[in-house]
Amino acid sequence: MTDDPSSQATGDEPQEQATGDGSDDHPEALTIADFHDASQKAGRPVLTAAAVARALDLPQETASEALEALADRGDLQRHSVETDPVVWYPSELEDLTDRERVVVFPKRREIIVDRPDQFTRAQLAQFAHLADGNGEDGYRYVVRPEDVWQAPHDEFEGLARTMRQALGQRSDQLEDWVESQWDRAHQFRLATHEDGYTVLEGQSPEIMGNVARQKLDEEHVHAPISETEDWVQEGSEAAIKRILYEAGYPVQDHRDLLSGEDLPIEFTVQLRGYQQTWVDRFAESGEGVFVGPPGSGKTIAAMGAMAHVGGETLVLVPSRDLARQWAETIAEYTSLEPHQIGQYHGGQKNVRPVTIATYQIAGMDRHRSLFDDREWGLVVFDECQHVPSDVYRRSTHLQSRHRLGLSASPIREDDRQKEIFTLVGPPIGTDWEALFDDGFVAEPELEIRYVPWGDDEQQNAYASADGQERYRIAAQNRGKIDEVRFLLSAHPDAKALVFVDYLEQGRALAAALDVPFLSGETPHHERRRLLEDFRRNERDLLLVSRVGDEGIDLPTADLAIVASGLGGSRRQGTQRAGRTMRPAGGALVYVLATRGTREEDFARKQLQHLGRKGMTIREQTVERDGNDGGDGSDDGDATESGTNADTEADDATETTAPDRTGPTE
C-alpha cells in the first residue's frame, strides 16, 4: 500500500485504497463511493435501489437511474432475484476474496476493512477499536479518543506513519482529528517534586486555569506553585486522573514511585507472539490492561510482565480460589520458590515478595497497612473490570511504579468502564478474530435455542407477573431441564459445563441430572476436588452457578450449556462462552432462553457483544411434540444472527432478578 494524496475525499465520503470511482467524469451523478457509503450504512454489500435511496436520502427513481448509470460504466453489477427486486453490488466485489480493501469514513472516524492481513490488523490496533469483528461482513474499526490517547508512540509523526501504513493512504481530515486528540493526551502530567511531594503540571497557564483548576478543588490539590503547577494532596492522584480523563484530558503519570526490592524472576515458558507484544507495550508505558478472550493466556503474559519488572509484586484477585491457582501457576512457570510466594485472604495470611490477595481483604482498613507499608514494584489487578466498583476501588489507592490489569471483557453495564483505564492503565490487546484465525484460541460454535414452557403453571405465572419477576420465572423455566438432557444426550462424549444463575434452578437440575452443583455454598475443599476431577477427565459434567464466571478458574470444556444467566451483563456472556475457547476447536455453546419472553430479547442483545468480537451466532427455535417436553427433537431451522448490530440491552443490570433464595454468587 502506498500514500496517494489524490485519493483524498472530502466531507464524509469514503476514502478507498484504489478504485477510480468515476466521480471526475460525472460529478453530479451517484458515484461508486456513494454506493459504498450506502452499503456501509446498511451493513451489507448487496443492495436494492430502495435501500440505496433510503441510505442516501434520494428518491427511489433517482437512485434507480443512477445505479443503472454506474452499471453501464462497469462499476456495479446487477442481479435479478426471483420474487424480489433487482439487487446491485460493486463489480470489484467478485475480486474481494483474494485481496485486502480498506475504506475510510473520516468524518465518522470509521474504517471498514475487507480481508485485512495480520500486519494491517496490528497497525489498526495501535490507534483504533475493533467495533464489529464479523469477518463475513468485513471489519469495522472506530477511532475513539481513548484509542489515540493510549497509542504506543512517543511522537505524533510515528502514529501518523502507522495510520498511513494501515490505511494505504493519507487521510488529512482523520489525521487532523487524531493529532488534536494526541495533543489533549499531553496537556497534563503528574510528577514528583524535588522535595518528594506530587505536582500536577499543565502545558500552559491557559490549560491549567481553564481545565484543571475548574475541575479540581481542595480535596485534590493544596495550592498553586506556579501558573502551570499545583501541589497535589497525598492520595488524590487516582481521583485527579479520573476527573481529568472524564474531561477529555488523560494525565501522563511521571511520578518517581518506589519500585520495591529487586526480585529477579526467570520465566520458564516461551511467550506467544501476541503475548510478547502485550508485554512490550506494557514495558513502554509501565501500565496497562491486557485484554483478550478467555484461553488467550493473560495470566502467563502477566508473568512475563512480572519478569520484566523484576520487583516485588502484589496480585489482587476476586476470590481465594483464584489466589491459590495464581500461586500454583507462578510456582510452575517461574523460577520463584514456594517460600517467596504468599497468599493473603480468609484462608491464610502470608505477605511475601510475591503476594496474591483478594480485593476485599486488601481494601479493609485493618489489613490495608500491611500492603501500604510494602514497596511494590508491580500491582496486578486480575478481572479488573471490577475495579470501578465501590468495594474494589479502594485497592487502587495502593501505589506502585507499575500497574497491570487483566480482563477478557473490560465492559460494565453501568458505563464506568473508562474508569478501568484511568485507575489501572490503557487497554493492550489483540482482536479476538486474529487469535481465532491463528489457531491460538478456537472459535466456539454458539447457538441461542428458544425453548417452550415446560408447564402451564409457570407460563401463567409469567403472564401475571411484571418487572424482574418475569425474568426470574422465564430464566427458571422447567422446560429447560428437558432441553439440557437432550443436548447432553446429543453430545455423549463431550466434557460439559452447565451454567445457572439461581440456586433453586441449580438444585433442580442437579437432582434431575444426578450431578453435583458447584455454587457459593460449596465448601472450598469440595470445589477444589470437583474441579480437579473434571480436569483429570474423571468427571465429564459439572453444574456451575454464577461463582464460576470469575471467582474460580474453571477448566475448559467441549460443551457449555447456559441454562440461565445471560440477561445480566455482556461480560457474563463473554466469560461463559470463553470456557470453551481453546486451541483444539470443535467446542459448542448453547444458550437457552424461554421463547416469547424478555429472556429471549436479553439473550439476543447480550450476545451481540460476542458477535462484534468475531464469533458467529446462530438462533434456533425448539419445537416439542405435546406439552410434556417430548423427546427433545428439534423441528426448527437454525438461522444466522445479526452479529454486527449496534444496540445493547439498555435495561440489563449487573445482578439479575433474585428469587427468594437469592441468585447464586
Side-chain angles (χ1 to χ4, degrees):
M1 294 185 286
T2 59
D3 293 348
D4 183 7
S6 66
S7 64
Q8 174 69 33
T10 60
D12 199 31
E13 293 181 353
Q15 299 171 304
E16 302 182 34
Q17 279 177 296
T19 59
D21 57 19
S23 59
D24 291 338
D25 298 329
H26 301 274
E28 76 287 354
L30 186 70
T31 67
I32 187 62
D34 295 325
F35 185 88
H36 286 311
D37 196 3
S39 176
Q40 194 274 334
K41 289 180 181 177
R44 57 185 184 274
V46 179
L47 302 175
T48 63
V52 172
R54 284 194 302 271
L56 301 181
D57 195 21
L58 297 172
Q60 183 167 343
E61 183 178 355
T62 301
S64 296
E65 293 175 356
L67 291 168
E68 291 286 355
L70 283 174
D72 292 342
R73 292 205 300 270
D75 291 333
L76 290 181
Q77 297 291 328
R78 59 170 68 84
H79 181 68
S80 180
V81 182
E82 185 177 358
T83 74
D84 283 311
V86 172
V87 294
W88 307 81
Y89 57 91
S91 298
E92 72 268 18
L93 189 64
E94 298 172 355
D95 302 326
L96 292 182
T97 56
D98 57 3
R99 70 179 179 93
E100 177 184 278
R101 178 168 166 270
V102 180
V103 183
V104 182
F105 296 88
K107 190 174 182 180
R108 294 200 301 273
R109 301 189 295 277
E110 291 188 1
I111 303 162
I112 310 299
V113 191
D114 286 315
R115 303 189 65 81
D117 59 27
Q118 290 295 347
F119 174 79
T120 299
R121 283 187 185 178
Q123 299 298 88
L124 286 168
Q126 295 187 42
F127 65 91
H129 167 69
L130 179 64
D132 284 330
N134 183 2
E136 294 182 0
D137 294 329
Y139 298 79
R140 183 171 69 91
Y141 287 84
V142 179
V143 186
R144 306 169 302 177
E146 55 264 39
D147 302 313
V148 179
W149 298 344
Q150 60 90 32
H153 294 277
D154 294 328
E155 303 291 340
F156 174 73
E157 279 307 312
L159 175 56
R161 283 194 298 272
T162 296
M163 291 177 61
R164 294 164 197 166
Q165 289 173 340
L167 305 180
Q169 59 183 284
R170 178 169 181 157
S171 172
D172 288 337
Q173 187 176 358
L174 182 59
E175 280 191 22
D176 288 346
W177 181 84
V178 169
E179 186 171 13
S180 71
Q181 293 301 317
W182 175 270
D183 288 340
R184 292 176 78 95
H186 294 80
Q187 293 298 314
F188 293 104
R189 74 171 194 151
L190 290 172
T192 301
H193 192 272
E194 60 183 12
D195 292 332
Y197 55 84
T198 300
V199 174
L200 175 66
E201 300 177 352
Q203 283 285 9
S204 68
E206 292 75 23
I207 196 72
M208 200 70 187
N210 294 333
V211 178
R213 289 170 183 161
Q214 295 295 323
K215 298 290 184 180
L216 306 176
D217 55 31
E218 62 274 7
E219 294 182 8
H220 310 108
V221 293
H222 287 289
I225 300 173
S226 70
E227 288 185 332
T228 58
E229 297 173 303
D230 279 2
W231 178 9
V232 172
Q233 290 271 17
E234 185 177 357
S236 67
E237 293 87 354
I240 289 172
K241 292 166 72 174
R242 175 180 56 80
I243 290 168
L244 292 181
Y245 188 101
E246 291 174 350
Y249 293 91
V251 178
Q252 304 290 314
D253 196 339
H254 293 165
R255 288 175 291 164
D256 297 330
L257 294 172
L258 299 173
S259 58
E261 297 293 330
D262 290 342
L263 183 66
I265 300 174
E266 293 182 11
F267 202 41
T268 60
V269 296
Q270 183 70 36
L271 291 177
R272 297 168 178 170
Y274 66 87
Q275 291 171 321
Q276 187 61 58
T277 299
W278 292 355
V279 173
D280 292 343
R281 292 273 299 276
F282 165 78
E284 290 174 0
S285 62
E287 60 182 14
V289 176
F290 289 168
V291 180
S296 59
K298 294 183 293 297
T299 302
I300 296 297
M303 292 177 199
M306 290 170 55
H308 166 77
V309 171
E312 297 193 349
T313 299
L314 174 65
V315 180
L316 297 174
V317 297
S319 72
R320 70 169 71 175
D321 289 298
L322 279 180
R324 173 183 57 79
Q325 290 153 11
W326 261 91
E328 293 174 351
T329 305
I330 291 172
E332 180 178 358
Y333 293 112
T334 74
S335 59
L336 294 176
E337 299 293 332
H339 71 272
Q340 296 176 292
I341 306 168
Q343 298 179 53
Y344 201 98
H345 47 68
Q348 54 179 290
K349 293 179 174 62
N350 299 305
V351 178
R352 302 281 171 73
V354 172
T355 300
I356 304 99
T358 58
Y359 285 100
Q360 293 88 339
I361 288 286
M364 292 181 180
D365 290 336
R366 64 179 182 272
H367 302 291
R368 177 79 177 278
S369 61
L370 290 172
F371 303 108
D372 276 336
D373 293 344
R374 197 161 189 131
E375 297 173 359
W376 303 104
L378 171 66
V379 178
V380 178
F381 301 86
D382 196 9
E383 304 290 357
C384 67
Q385 63 273 3
H386 295 299
V387 162
S389 69
D390 295 336
V391 173
Y392 287 21
R393 178 189 289 270
R394 299 188 67 191
S395 64
T396 64
H397 296 165
L398 294 164
Q399 297 300 311
S400 68
R401 181 180 293 274
H402 302 286
R403 300 158 77 84
L404 175 65
L406 309 179
S407 181
S409 189
I411 55 175
R412 294 179 58 85
E413 305 308 316
D414 58 8
D415 292 327
R416 295 169 71 183
Q417 54 263 32
K418 286 185 179 180
E419 295 185 28
I420 299 169
F421 307 126
T422 62
L423 295 169
V424 181
I428 300 170
T430 304
D431 71 72
W432 290 31
E433 185 73 13
L435 298 181
F436 293 157
D437 289 349
D438 286 347
F440 290 121
V441 179
E443 176 189 354
E445 298 179 29
L446 198 153
E447 181 173 292
I448 309 174
R449 296 176 70 83
Y450 303 118
V451 181
W453 288 102
D455 55 56
D456 292 338
E457 179 186 357
Q458 279 189 311
Q459 186 172 10
N460 293 335
Y462 177 86
S464 60
D466 55 24
Q468 292 289 345
E469 180 68 7
R470 303 192 85 190
Y471 178 81
R472 184 192 68 80
I473 296 170
Q476 298 191 82
N477 172 15
R478 285 187 284 270
K480 293 180 179 180
I481 295 178
D482 289 330
E483 185 62 19
V484 171
R485 280 202 187 103
F486 165 72
L487 292 172
L488 291 174
S489 65
H491 306 284
D493 299 324
K495 288 183 64 176
L497 295 170
V498 180
F499 294 97
V500 298
D501 238 28
Y502 295 91
L503 290 170
E504 181 181 338
Q505 182 187 29
R507 295 179 188 123
L509 266 170
L513 301 174
D514 192 23
V515 296
F517 176 34
L518 196 159
S519 73
E521 296 179 344
T522 308
H524 286 279
H525 69 275
E526 180 67 7
R527 290 191 204 178
R528 186 170 184 176
R529 184 185 67 80
L530 292 172
L531 293 171
E532 288 301 320
D533 288 349
F534 194 85
R535 288 190 181 93
R536 292 195 298 261
N537 296 320
E538 295 174 6
R539 180 179 298 279
D540 58 9
L541 175 61
L542 273 182
L543 180 61
V544 186
S545 76
R546 192 182 298 179
V547 74
D549 292 339
E550 297 169 346
I552 57 178
D553 183 18
L554 282 175
T556 54
D558 308 304
L559 173 67
I561 301 173
V562 182
S564 63
L566 283 183
S569 70
R570 292 163 287 173
R571 185 178 69 249
Q572 191 176 49
T574 303
Q575 292 288 346
R576 293 183 170 183
R579 298 308 181 186
T580 64
M581 292 184 186
R582 56 182 189 168
L588 302 167
V589 180
Y590 293 104
V591 176
L592 308 186
T594 300
R595 192 171 68 208
T597 68
R598 290 183 62 198
E599 188 184 39
E600 177 178 329
D601 296 331
F602 274 136
R604 184 182 293 113
K605 290 176 180 178
Q606 299 302 66
L607 289 173
Q608 288 169 355
H609 170 65
L610 293 176
R612 286 195 292 275
K613 289 181 176 293
M615 291 177 61
T616 300
I617 301 171
R618 297 191 303 271
E619 300 178 36
Q620 176 142 325
T621 298
V622 177
E623 301 291 348
R624 303 288 188 203
D625 294 328
N627 296 322
D628 58 356
D631 60 1
S633 60
D634 297 327
D635 296 326
D637 295 328
T639 58
E640 292 299 325
S641 166
T643 55
N644 58 349
D646 289 328
T647 58
E648 297 292 350
D650 295 329
D651 51 351
T653 56
E654 279 286 324
T655 304
T656 57
D659 61 7
R660 293 180 182 86
T661 60
T664 63
E665 293 182 0

